[in-house]
């Protein structure tokens, strides 16, 4: 069995697409750090100057409209504008000045994030990318075997299908876990290094590391799901189609559920919410009570717990693996 | 089941379902492959050879029947004997983007054979210097040789080759034949399926002939040929006034087939052919032979006789398991239903 897993890992490693996918994901995560950099970086003198300039210009405009001696402040309507008098349109300086407070310099400050927030976004991006990549690695590894027919040849050397399946699945899980560990490490190290460079404290590093760890688990799971999808359909492309269909269904359903009073009944059983609950350790979503719109409706926050997400995800994975194993064991190989 | 056979199959049955229609690929097949030597597994296209081999290797599930490789009941005990079995089913199938060497290395590590053995078997099949090329770029012959090299990794006692010479040039065919003979001479058992008899007759010690998924004949090549000989071989006759001669011979009860070179192939379906009878018949009418040569019966004619009515679309053949009792058409008869036209004529 160890021999078989070794051979499967060796095969994955020899596949060029494995490295292409892995490198592409790593590059994107690294590239994302430029965005992280801009959120962590303290403003430069130039930025402070332009910030000041923007503030001053806005303030000047405000002063002309609403400052002392301005039409708004004098509380007079422009002469000859009788028709505008009964109603106060949006351009009415009176109304405008009442709603717009005096601009403050701080309103124009560049939003400088904390390390924890920046690292969190970075890990979320790397999880999404990693899951996509792992799904592709898992799907194409077995898809290539069916496409080339090499699976039939392989089975004439190792006829124990249960073991062959286990070795392949394990190899996919291990390989994607290693790749995702690298991705997660990069996703956390990037913001950490940047934060250090700007003398920001690394508060929340523990939480972020735990998040990254859960990300590794989810990515390996995506690899296994991709593997099973391609094994069941015998085609990499079909597996990718399944993933696409899932993505579309998820975005549609989340759009529908966002306005639904049934959200609390449905959301806990959608894969997406449960994966989120695992990744973010509890997932909160909005539920609207009542009709959904207008009076009598109230929005409140519901929570899907980490434990729920974990059990759900593991049961889902186990079920998919079991069905795939059953099919693989019984299927004629032509 | 006897324990001396390398492969033994009893009542093997397999039906495929395609778009709701059932198609019997293997029909209560019995087969025995003795240990040692080359065993030809013959049948026209679609006879069920590949399906049988797939079932033997556990790639395809049988509906019913029992199979045995050496002392192991397969597919249940296949893992126990798989180290003694090397097989190529239909086309050699490897990972196209890996080198030939990498493909074999993967197999070697999966079955626990030292990697050093990979280079040894590559050299053995003459791929030593091409081992680092991608499989995709191999010629058909090289792919075939790589597959043979793969089977040799574990030094098996039984080798199963399914149409190993498909698409090979004469040199390649010769090479494969030599390889099979060499393996048999080293005490291995080689089961080789083919629809091209010419290549199998030269190398096989025993053969089984199947049609429509069922056994039609089996035995040693010699016994099958002797069976064919009993119904009378054919004589090739060359005479002036060929048409007149043909008429006279037919009147005397011979079967006559004129040949393109104006020779006549003469046979006697009812009793053994006696050449002197031909001479007497023609001389009695003032016709004198310039040539009379006996045509050696070959496996081709046995095969054609047995399988003529078992093409892919034909009905099930009634008789089976009776060695060499079919009536062989004379050599030179064109192959019928689904038999490869390249199979060649009499030699
Ligand atoms: N996967 C399959 N699905 C449906 N029918 C199949 C399948 N494989 C084989 N068959 C059918 O089973 C029959 C036997 O096919 P098989 O490939 O075993 O023949 P064969 O003797 O190997 O022929 P050939 O000499 O052409 O290789 C054929 O009628 C074929 O159409
Ligand atoms: Mg075949």
């Amino acid at each position: 069995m160890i021999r078989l897993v070794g051979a499967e890992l060796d095969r994955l490693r020899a596949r060029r697409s494995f490295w292409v996918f892995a490198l592409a994901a790593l590059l994107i995560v690294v590239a994302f750090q430029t965005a992280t950099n801009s959120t962590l970086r303290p403003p430069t003198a130039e930025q402070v100057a332009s910030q000041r300039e923007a503030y001053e210009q806005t303030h000047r405009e405000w002063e002309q409209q609403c400052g002392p001696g301005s039409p708004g402040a004098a509380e007079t309507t422009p002469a000859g504008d009788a028709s505008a008098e009964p109603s106060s349109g949006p351009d009415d300086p009176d109304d405008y000045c009442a709603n717009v407070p005096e601009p403050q310099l701080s309103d124009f400050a560049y939003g400088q994030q904390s390390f924890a927030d920046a690292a969190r976004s970075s890990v979320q991006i790397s999880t999404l990318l990693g899951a996509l990549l792992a799904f592709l690695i898992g799907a194409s590894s077995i898809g290539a075997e069916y496409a080339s027919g090499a699976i039939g040849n392989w089975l004439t050397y190792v006829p124990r299908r249960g073991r062959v399946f286990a070795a392949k699945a394990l190899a996919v899980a291990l390989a994607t876990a290693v790749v995702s560990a690298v991705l997660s490490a990069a996703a956390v190290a990037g913001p950490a290094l940047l934060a250090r460079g700007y003398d920001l404290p690394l508060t929340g590093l523990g939480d972020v590391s735990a998040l990254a760890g859960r990300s590794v688990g989810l990515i390996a799971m995506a690899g296994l799901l991709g593997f099973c999808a391609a094994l069941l359909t015998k085609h990499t492309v079909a597996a990718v189609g399944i993933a696409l269909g899932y993505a579309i269904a998820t975005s549609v359903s989340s759009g529908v559920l966002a306005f639904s009073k049934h959200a609390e009944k449905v959301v806990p059983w959608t894969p997406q919410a449960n994966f989120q609950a695992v990744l973010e350790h509890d997932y909160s979503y909005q539920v609207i009570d009542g009709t959904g719109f207008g009076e009598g409706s109230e929005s409140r926050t519901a929570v899907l717990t980490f434990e729920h997400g974990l059990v759900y995800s593991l049961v889902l994975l186990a079920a998919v693996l079991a069905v795939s194993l059953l099919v693989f064991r019984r299927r004629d190989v032509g | 089941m006897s324990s001396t056979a390398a492969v033994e199959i009893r009542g093997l049955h397999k039906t495929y379902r395609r778009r709701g229609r059932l198609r019997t690929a293997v029909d209560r097949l019995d087969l025995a492959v003795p240990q040692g030597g080359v065993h030809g597994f013959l049948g026209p296209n679609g006879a069920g050879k590949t399906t049988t081999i797939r079932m033997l290797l556990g790639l395809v599930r049988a509906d019913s029947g029992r199979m045995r490789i050496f002392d192991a009941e397969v597919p249940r005990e296949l893992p126990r004997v798989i180290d003694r079995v090397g097989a190529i089913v239909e086309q050699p199938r490897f990972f196209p983007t890996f080198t030939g060497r990498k493909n074999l290395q993967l197999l070697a590590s999966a079955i626990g054979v030292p990697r050093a053995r990979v280079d040894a078997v590559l050299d053995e099949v003459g791929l030593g210097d091409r081992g680092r090329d991608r499989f995709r770029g191999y010629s058909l012959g090289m792919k075939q040789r790589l597959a043979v090299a793969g089977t040799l990794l574990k030094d098996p006692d039984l080798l199963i080759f399914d149409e190993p010479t498909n698409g090979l040039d004469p040199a390649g065919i010769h090479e494969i034949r030599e390889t099979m003979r060499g393996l048999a001479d080293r005490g291995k058992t080689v089961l080789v399926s083919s629809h091209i008899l010419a290549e199998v007759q030269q190398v096989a010690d025993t053969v089984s002939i199947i049609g429509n998924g069922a056994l039609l004949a089996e035995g040693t090549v010699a016994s099958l040929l002797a069976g064919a000989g009993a119904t009378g071989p054919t004589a090739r006759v060359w005479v002036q006034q060929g048409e007149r001669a043909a008429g006279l011979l037919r009147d005397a009860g011979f079967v006559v087939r004129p040949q393109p070179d104006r020779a006549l192939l003469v046979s006697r379906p009812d009793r053994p052919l006696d050449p002197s009878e031909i001479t007497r018949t023609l001389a009695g009418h003032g016709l004198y032979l310039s040539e009379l040569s006996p045509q050696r019966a070959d496996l081709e004619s046995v095969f054609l006789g047995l399988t003529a009515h078992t093409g892919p679309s034909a009905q099930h053949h009634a008789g089976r398991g009776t060695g060499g009792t079919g009536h062989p058409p004379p050599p030179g008869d064109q192959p019928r239903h689904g038999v490869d036209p390249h199979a060649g004529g009499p030699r």
Side-chain angles (χ1 to χ4, degrees):
Chain A
M1 184 66 198
I2 290 172
R3 220 158 60 190
L4 269 184
V5 177
E8 294 290 353
L9 281 173
D10 191 11
R11 184 172 76 81
L12 276 179
R13 237 182 11 191
R15 287 174 58 73
R16 203 189 312 162
S17 65
F18 174 80
W19 294 105
V20 170
F21 290 145
L23 272 180
L26 189 61
L27 278 179
I28 296 174
V29 168
V30 169
F32 182 75
Q33 300 314 313
T34 58
T36 308
N37 183 38
S38 63
T39 63
L40 285 175
R41 182 177 52 200
T44 58
E46 205 176 294
Q47 283 172 325
V48 171
S50 82
Q51 164 192 351
R52 173 131 226 128
E53 197 179 305
Y55 157 73
E56 277 166 359
Q57 175 164 354
T58 315
H59 196 262
R60 250 194 322 275
E61 282 165 9
W62 180 85
E63 221 151 49
Q64 279 169 13
Q65 296 264 359
C66 314
S70 71
E75 289 191 305
T76 53
T77 44
D81 198 2
S83 61
E85 202 174 353
S87 66
S88 36
D91 288 338
D92 192 324
D94 192 12
D95 194 46
Y96 174 82
C97 292
N99 285 328
V100 177
E102 182 176 357
Q104 302 295 316
L105 181 58
S106 63
D107 296 344
F108 295 83
Y110 282 84
Q112 191 185 356
Q113 272 189 329
S114 69
F115 159 74
D117 287 345
R120 187 168 282 276
S121 326
S122 175
V123 172
Q124 276 164 347
I125 288 287
S126 87
T127 306
L128 192 66
L129 267 173
L132 196 69
L133 143 98
F135 190 92
L136 283 175
I137 288 178
S140 65
S141 78
I142 184 81
E145 290 192 83
Y146 277 102
S148 63
I151 183 76
N153 189 41
W154 190 260
L155 288 173
T156 63
Y157 287 79
V158 257
R160 284 194 173 94
R161 297 211 190 169
R163 287 191 190 191
V164 170
F165 179 88
K168 287 183 187 303
L170 205 59
V172 166
L174 284 173
T176 51
V178 168
V179 175
S180 67
V182 173
L183 284 184
S184 283
V188 176
L193 287 175
L194 291 168
R196 300 278 357 180
Y198 299 129
D199 284 331
L200 290 173
L202 294 186
T203 37
L205 181 61
D207 283 352
V208 170
S209 303
L211 176 78
R214 295 194 296 272
S215 159
V216 170
L218 277 175
I219 289 175
M221 174 170 166
L224 284 175
L225 290 177
F227 168 77
C228 291
L231 186 143
L232 290 172
T233 58
K234 299 195 210 172
H235 291 285
T236 309
V237 175
V240 172
I242 290 178
L244 269 178
Y246 168 73
I248 292 170
T250 301
S251 59
V252 168
S253 72
S254 68
V256 170
L257 287 173
F259 295 100
S260 167
K261 55 184 174 184
H262 303 300
E264 204 164 15
K265 286 199 200 96
V266 181
V267 168
W269 304 109
T270 58
Q272 188 55 33
N274 284 283
F275 298 157
Q276 293 269 71
V278 172
L279 180 65
E280 282 159 26
H281 207 288
D282 294 353
Y283 168 65
S284 340
Y285 57 100
Q286 297 299 308
V287 183
I288 295 174
D289 292 322
T291 57
F293 292 102
E295 282 156 58
S297 295
E298 232 168 67
S299 143
R300 62 187 168 80
T301 303
V303 174
L304 193 60
T305 64
F306 168 72
E307 289 74 19
H308 186 288
L310 187 65
V311 171
Y312 178 99
S313 302
L314 290 179
V315 169
L316 176 74
L317 180 62
V320 171
L321 281 172
V323 169
S324 306
L325 172 61
L326 208 72
V327 169
F328 184 70
R329 282 183 61 112
R330 296 197 57 93
R331 180 149 70 195
D332 286 352
V333 179
Chain B
M1 290 192 178
S2 81
S3 57
T4 53
V7 174
E8 196 155 20
I9 291 176
R10 287 275 167 269
L12 190 65
H13 201 82
K14 174 73 183 181
T15 308
Y16 281 113
R17 185 184 286 277
R18 266 279 152 91
R19 292 191 205 95
R21 282 177 46 200
L22 293 176
R23 158 166 269 148
T24 302
V26 175
D27 189 6
R28 287 159 287 160
L29 175 71
D30 297 331
L31 189 74
V33 178
Q35 271 192 44
V38 177
H39 185 90
F41 184 35
L42 306 172
N45 290 131
K49 304 180 295 292
T50 302
T51 305
T52 302
I53 290 172
R54 287 213 171 103
M55 286 191 280
L56 206 50
L57 294 168
L59 295 176
V60 164
R61 241 160 223 277
D63 298 337
S64 60
R66 296 177 63 194
M67 293 175 284
R68 200 173 245 288
I69 294 180
F70 298 119
D71 59 343
E73 197 80 39
V74 295
R76 195 166 49 82
E77 296 178 306
L78 190 59
R80 188 158 66 74
V81 282
I82 197 70
D83 286 348
R84 297 177 65 192
V85 182
I88 308 174
V89 186
E90 277 191 340
Q91 305 298 311
R93 300 251 168 85
F94 291 96
F95 295 106
T97 55
F98 292 172
T99 65
R101 195 157 170 271
K102 183 78 202 172
N103 270 297
L104 292 197
Q105 280 177 345
L106 290 173
L107 288 168
S109 60
I111 59 174
V113 167
R115 287 201 164 193
R117 179 114 186 93
V118 169
D119 290 321
V121 294
L122 281 174
D123 282 339
E124 208 170 316
V125 298
L127 276 181
D129 52 340
R130 299 295 301 271
R132 282 166 213 276
D133 293 353
R134 284 168 188 249
F135 177 73
R136 190 168 50 193
Y138 281 5
S139 72
L140 199 53
M142 290 165 68
K143 288 179 178 173
Q144 204 67 260
R145 277 189 278 170
L146 184 71
V148 173
T151 62
L152 299 179
L153 274 178
K154 38 189 174 178
D155 193 26
D157 297 319
L158 168 67
L159 290 115
I160 300 176
F161 295 142
D162 186 18
E163 314 254 5
T165 54
N166 247 358
L168 295 192
D169 61 11
I173 293 175
H174 179 76
E175 211 172 292
I176 293 276
R177 199 185 290 146
E178 293 287 295
T179 306
M180 291 194 291
R181 197 62 253 171
L183 288 163
D185 291 345
R186 273 156 54 193
K188 316 278 187 196
T189 307
V190 179
L191 172 62
V192 54
S193 91
S194 181
H195 58 259
I196 305 173
L197 284 149
E199 82 191 34
V200 169
Q201 182 174 3
Q202 292 178 36
V203 72
D205 303 301
T206 50
V207 294
S208 299
I209 300 178
I210 69 167
N212 275 338
L215 184 70
L216 301 176
E218 65 179 331
T220 62
V221 174
S223 74
L224 287 176
L225 291 180
T231 62
T234 304
R236 187 185 140 89
V237 172
W238 214 98
V239 61
Q240 296 287 345
Q241 301 182 43
E243 277 183 32
R244 189 171 154 232
L248 292 168
L249 288 169
R250 285 200 184 101
D251 290 345
F254 292 95
V255 171
V256 180
R257 295 176 160 262
Q259 296 297 292
D261 62 352
R262 293 180 32 233
L264 304 173
L265 287 178
V266 183
S267 60
R268 186 103 223 187
D270 47 349
R271 59 184 136 101
L273 184 76
D274 178 4
S276 67
E277 218 183 325
I278 298 175
T279 327
R280 219 171 21 244
T281 307
L282 294 179
H285 291 84
L287 292 174
Y288 299 99
L289 303 176
S290 8
E291 182 192 329
L292 188 151
S293 51
Q295 298 290 293
R296 191 168 60 85
D298 63 3
L299 213 43
E300 191 82 38
S301 49
V302 179
F303 179 75
L304 290 174
L306 286 169
T307 61
H309 308 291
T310 62
S313 54
Q315 291 303 306
H316 279 194
H317 197 270
R320 55 161 132 147
T322 49
T325 53
H327 291 277
D333 191 10
Q334 283 307 300
R336 298 177 202 166
H337 307 277
V339 175
D340 192 290
H342 307 299
R347 274 162 299 111

